[in-house]
Amino acid sequence: MLKHRKSNVISYLLLSASLFGSVAFAKESVEALSHNLTADQVYQGIKSTLESNLFSLPPRVQGHYAIRQYRMTGEDKYANGALIDLLTIAEQQAYYNCQLDKPGFSKAESQKEVAKIKPGIRGNARKSAIAPYPEFMFYTDILLRYASRVDEFGFKGPCHDVMINTLKNANLAPALTDKKMIKSWAAQLINYVFWAKQMGVGDYYSAYKQAFIKTYPDSEDAKLDKSQYKNKIYGMTHFIFAASGYYQQPVDAKEYQWILTYFENNIDRILKDTTEDIITEVGISFLITGNANNPVVDKVKKHVIAAYHPQLKMIPSPKGEAHLSSGEHRNVLAMMLLKWPETLHKGPYLNDITSTKRYLPKLVTPKSTAANKSSQ
C-alpha cells in the first residue's frame, strides 16, 4: 500500500512539473478526481492556470484567450493579448492578400492548408470532401478568417480592396452546401458564412441553414455515430456564436429557437455523447440568448464543474490529457460559462485603447472609432 501511494505521489509530481514547466505539458492520461469545489473556485483555478502560463503558449492561443476575456470583462489589460494576435495576423495578411494577383497563388496556398490536415478517419474524410474545391480553404480559413478578425479590432488590413474583390468573385456556395463538407466541417462552415456576411462579400446564410438541416434532420439522429453527432451539435452552437460576433453581443433567441429547443430535448445525449468543449458551448448558447434560467444551463454547469481536475487546475481533454496549448479552448469556455457577465464588450478596438494604440502594426488602417462602430 505504501509503495502504491509513493508511486501515485511521484506520478503526480512528475505530471505537475510537466504541466507547469513547458508548453507541451502532460502527454499521459490523468484520472478524474471528485471534488466539492464551487463554480467560482473552478473559475479561479482555471484562470490562474491559464494566465500564469499564457506567455508559454503560441500567439494564436494567447490571442484566443485574451479576446474572449476582453469580451467577458471589458478589461483593457486583455487588449494587449489581442494586439499580439493583430501583429501576427497583419503580417500574414500582407503575405496572402498582396499576392492574390499572382497566377496559381490561391490554389497553391489552399493546397498547402489541405496538406496540414492530419491523417485519420476524420482527416481523410475532410480531404475527400474538400477535393472538389481546390481554393476553398484559402478563401475561407485564411482570407476570411484573418479579414474578419482585423475587422473586429477596428481595422482594414493590407491590400484590403484586392482581398474583398477576390472574395466577392469567389462563389463559396457549392462548398458550403455540400453534404460531405457539412459532415466534415459543420462549425467551421457556419463561421465562414458569418465572416462572409461581416465582410460584405456574400450572404450564404439561408443556403447553409437549409443544407445543414437537410444533412442532419433530427429524425435521423439515431443513425449518427458519436463523431457525427458531435459534428452536428458543434455546428449548431456555432450558428449562435457566429451570430453574436463571437461573444460581442447578445443574440435574439427567436431566430435560433430551433437550436435551443433541440438542445433542451436532447441534453441527456449531448452530455453522454459529446465532449466538454461542445457541452460547454451548449450551455453558453442559452446564456448568450438570454436564457440563463433554463434548466439546461444548470445541468451543463454541474457537468463542467465535475470535469475539472482540482490538482491540475484545469479540465483535461476527453482522453485525460493535460495539454494546455490545445486545452485552452475548452478551459476558457468553462470560465465563460461559470462567470457569464451582465454586459458583453465589443472589440477590443485597439486604436481606441491607450495601452495598444501606440504599438499598432503599420500594415493596418483604422476604419472607425469605437463610438462609430457601436452605433452601426
Side-chain angles (χ1 to χ4, degrees):
M1 178 65 74
L2 184 58
K3 287 183 178 179
H4 180 66
R5 286 184 178 177
K6 285 183 177 179
S7 176
N8 284 344
V9 170
I10 291 171
S11 295
Y12 170 66
L13 290 173
L14 289 172
L15 181 59
S16 297
S18 176
L19 174 60
F20 297 106
S22 73
V23 71
F25 300 123
K27 290 291 187 179
E28 60 187 277
S29 295
V30 295
E31 292 184 7
L33 296 178
S34 59
H35 62 81
N36 295 309
L37 298 177
T38 65
D40 185 64
Q41 287 174 317
V42 171
Y43 172 92
Q44 295 297 339
I46 295 173
K47 181 178 180 180
S48 174
T49 299
L50 285 170
E51 297 197 2
S52 62
N53 290 279
L54 201 60
F55 296 126
S56 67
L57 301 176
R60 175 188 59 80
V61 181
Q62 291 185 44
H64 187 275
Y65 178 80
I67 292 165
R68 278 145 187 78
Q69 280 297 86
Y70 180 88
R71 291 172 183 175
M72 293 294 105
T73 68
E75 294 181 25
D76 284 354
K77 68 178 183 179
Y78 292 112
N80 288 303
L83 177 61
I84 291 173
D85 197 59
L86 178 63
L87 288 164
T88 303
I89 288 175
E91 190 276 334
Q92 296 283 315
Q93 277 199 309
Y95 174 79
Y96 292 117
N97 291 2
C98 300
Q99 295 194 73
L100 286 171
D101 57 352
K102 183 178 176 181
F105 180 75
S106 298
K107 185 176 180 179
E109 293 300 323
S110 190
Q111 293 310 300
K112 288 179 184 178
E113 294 304 304
V114 173
K116 294 177 184 178
I117 299 174
K118 295 180 180 179
I121 295 175
R122 184 172 70 168
N124 294 340
R126 286 181 165 181
K127 284 187 177 182
S128 174
I130 206 167
Y133 313 105
E135 295 178 306
F136 182 78
M137 282 198 75
F138 177 71
Y139 291 148
T140 55
D141 213 46
I142 294 179
L143 296 188
L144 274 178
R145 178 183 296 277
Y146 293 158
S148 63
R149 189 84 53 79
V150 171
D151 179 74
E152 288 170 9
F153 293 154
F155 302 97
K156 292 181 179 180
C159 302
H160 176 81
D161 291 341
V162 177
M163 179 267 298
I164 292 294
N165 289 334
T166 298
L167 289 172
K168 282 183 176 180
N169 291 324
N171 181 14
L172 305 179
L176 290 170
T177 56
D178 186 318
K179 192 172 184 178
K180 287 180 66 176
M181 287 288 287
I182 294 171
K183 285 188 172 184
S184 299
W185 274 298
Q188 289 86 343
L189 295 187
I190 189 61
N191 289 345
Y192 304 152
V193 167
F194 273 88
W195 291 338
K197 188 173 183 179
Q198 175 185 339
M199 299 310 301
V201 297
D203 188 348
Y204 303 101
Y205 179 77
S206 295
Y208 181 75
K209 179 183 176 182
Q210 183 179 359
F212 179 89
I213 293 173
K214 188 175 181 180
T215 300
Y216 287 120
D218 296 348
S219 59
E220 296 184 11
D221 276 358
K223 299 178 182 178
L224 299 178
D225 60 19
K226 285 188 178 182
S227 177
Q228 277 300 296
Y229 192 69
K230 286 187 288 187
N231 191 58
K232 174 178 179 174
I233 304 304
Y234 195 34
M236 293 173 86
T237 62
H238 276 245
F239 271 88
I240 295 173
F241 289 179
S244 75
Y246 306 94
Y247 327 109
Q248 294 189 84
Q249 59 199 14
V251 174
D252 186 352
K254 293 179 182 178
E255 171 66 24
Y256 301 99
Q257 193 58 53
W258 62 281
I259 294 175
L260 299 174
T261 298
Y262 180 89
F263 289 162
E264 283 186 277
N265 294 338
N266 296 275
I267 186 59
D268 291 339
R269 182 176 179 185
I270 291 169
L271 292 172
K272 180 172 67 76
D273 286 350
T274 69
T275 63
E276 272 68 45
D277 300 65
I278 297 171
I279 291 166
T280 306
E281 290 193 356
V282 167
I284 293 174
S285 295
F286 285 89
L287 296 175
I288 209 165
T289 53
N291 288 281
N293 295 323
N294 191 288
V296 169
V297 177
D298 187 55
K299 286 186 178 182
V300 169
K301 283 184 177 180
K302 287 178 179 177
H303 180 96
V304 169
I305 290 171
Y308 176 78
H309 195 294
Q311 292 175 339
L312 297 173
K313 293 186 177 181
M314 65 180 293
I315 299 173
S317 75
K319 294 181 179 179
E321 294 177 350
H323 194 296
L324 197 53
S325 181
S326 59
E328 176 273 336
H329 177 269
R330 175 188 326 113
N331 283 274
V332 76
L333 282 171
M335 290 175 64
M336 292 160 60
L337 173 79
L338 298 175
K339 198 172 183 179
W340 189 256
E342 292 185 8
T343 302
L344 296 171
H345 303 270
K346 293 185 177 182
Y349 301 122
L350 301 177
N351 195 47
D352 300 314
I353 298 174
T354 303
S355 62
T356 56
K357 184 174 182 177
R358 58 186 294 193
Y359 300 110
L360 297 174
K362 301 299 183 183
L363 293 166
V364 301
T365 305
K367 67 187 195 68
S368 67
T369 64
N372 291 338
K373 183 78 174 179
S374 61
S375 65
Q376 289 177 359

